[in-house]
Amino acid sequence: MKVDFTRWLPAIAKDSYRKTALSVAGVAALGGLALAPTAVAAPVTSGPHQGAVAAIDRATGKAATTANQDDQPVESGLTTGSATGKPPAGKPSRAQLIPHGIEGAQSRVPLDDAQLANARAIVDAAKKTGVGDRGAVIGVATSLQESKLYNLGHLGAYNDHDSQGLFQQRPSSGWGTPDQITDPEYAATAFFTALKNVGGWQDLPLTAAAQTVQVSAFPYAYAQWEEQAADIVQQMW
């Protein structure tokens, strides 16, 4: 039975928040770029997965790099966290952001301006929907797994069914229209509205909370992004 999550959503003004969705026809390699609900698990790596890099480069029109991305150091700050381990004044602590501990090895990717803007939209939606900083970590980690924080449009023959946007939500599953789910504010609000309907989500490990909403074929893939998501939320909160 399909659930229409849109009935829980308030009207969202798109003019101020709308971001252009990335699209590509004939992407040759998606590799570890996860597309929910039937997601492809991304391998754990210290840098961006080569398949994800290729897909994003093609989607954005950037020339694919020939450098070994796994050998490139990740950026500081939003990709590595505080050097002292202490949260900035007024920011949530690591214990608040990761109350159940890290599950398994962690992945990290450098972030460009588009990814940072999309992360900000998710954090803002977490505040507006009342899921708090922990909810924001779950949302950012989910988007890191599903789209590497890129607002993806339809990828042609390589699309997973009709999945699109930051969370790879499907119109056919009741998440909204393609225009709605490629609006970062709408997509994040829809995700958090669904999360709030998961009983006891605050007490669940990240991967269990995310999986209950996303219904991915690879539910444990979300866990690898918890640490970077916490760093992002801590600095943007």
Side-chain angles (χ1 to χ4, degrees):
M1 178 179 178
K2 296 178 182 177
V3 179
D4 183 8
F5 291 102
T6 60
R7 70 179 187 271
W8 295 315
L9 300 178
I12 296 174
K14 295 186 172 115
D15 292 343
S16 299
Y17 295 96
R18 178 75 182 180
K19 301 292 189 299
T20 301
L22 303 178
S23 62
V24 58
V27 175
L30 286 177
L33 188 62
L35 303 177
T38 52
V40 178
V44 175
T45 171
S46 61
H49 186 266
Q50 288 297 303
V53 171
I56 297 302
D57 282 346
R58 289 172 182 270
T60 58
K62 297 178 182 177
T65 177
T66 57
N68 183 350
Q69 293 291 334
D70 289 340
D71 291 337
Q72 299 295 318
V74 296
E75 298 171 0
S76 61
L78 292 173
T79 55
T80 60
S82 170
T84 64
K86 297 180 180 180
K91 302 291 185 179
S93 68
R94 179 56 62 98
Q96 291 174 279
L97 297 168
I98 310 178
H100 309 297
I102 296 296
E103 296 178 271
Q106 297 293 292
S107 295
R108 289 183 178 272
V109 292
L111 303 175
D112 63 21
D113 289 345
Q115 290 165 298
L116 290 173
N118 290 328
R120 169 62 67 187
I122 294 172
V123 172
D124 288 347
K127 292 180 178 180
K128 292 178 181 178
T129 56
V131 296
D133 46 38
R134 175 59 180 169
V137 171
I138 296 171
V140 171
T142 300
S143 184
L144 278 166
Q145 171 61 21
E146 302 295 1
S147 67
K148 299 300 181 290
L149 282 173
Y150 280 104
N151 188 25
L152 297 174
H154 200 286
L155 299 175
Y158 293 88
N159 218 61
D160 177 54
H161 297 84
D162 53 344
S163 303
Q164 295 185 53
L166 294 176
F167 295 90
Q168 290 295 288
Q169 295 157 332
R170 296 182 61 184
S172 63
S173 295
W175 286 101
T177 67
D179 282 346
Q180 287 174 323
I181 62 177
T182 52
D183 177 329
E185 184 185 12
Y186 178 98
T189 300
F191 176 85
F192 291 131
T193 300
L195 180 64
K196 288 168 67 175
N197 281 276
V198 176
W201 68 265
Q202 300 92 331
D203 300 320
L204 295 175
L206 182 146
T207 194
Q211 168 64 2
T212 304
V213 175
Q214 297 293 102
V215 196
S216 166
F218 295 88
Y220 299 106
Y222 301 110
Q224 67 183 305
W225 302 105
E226 187 161 9
E227 201 165 59
Q228 183 171 12
D231 292 342
I232 292 170
V233 172
Q234 185 179 73
Q235 294 190 39
M236 287 189 170
W237 196 255

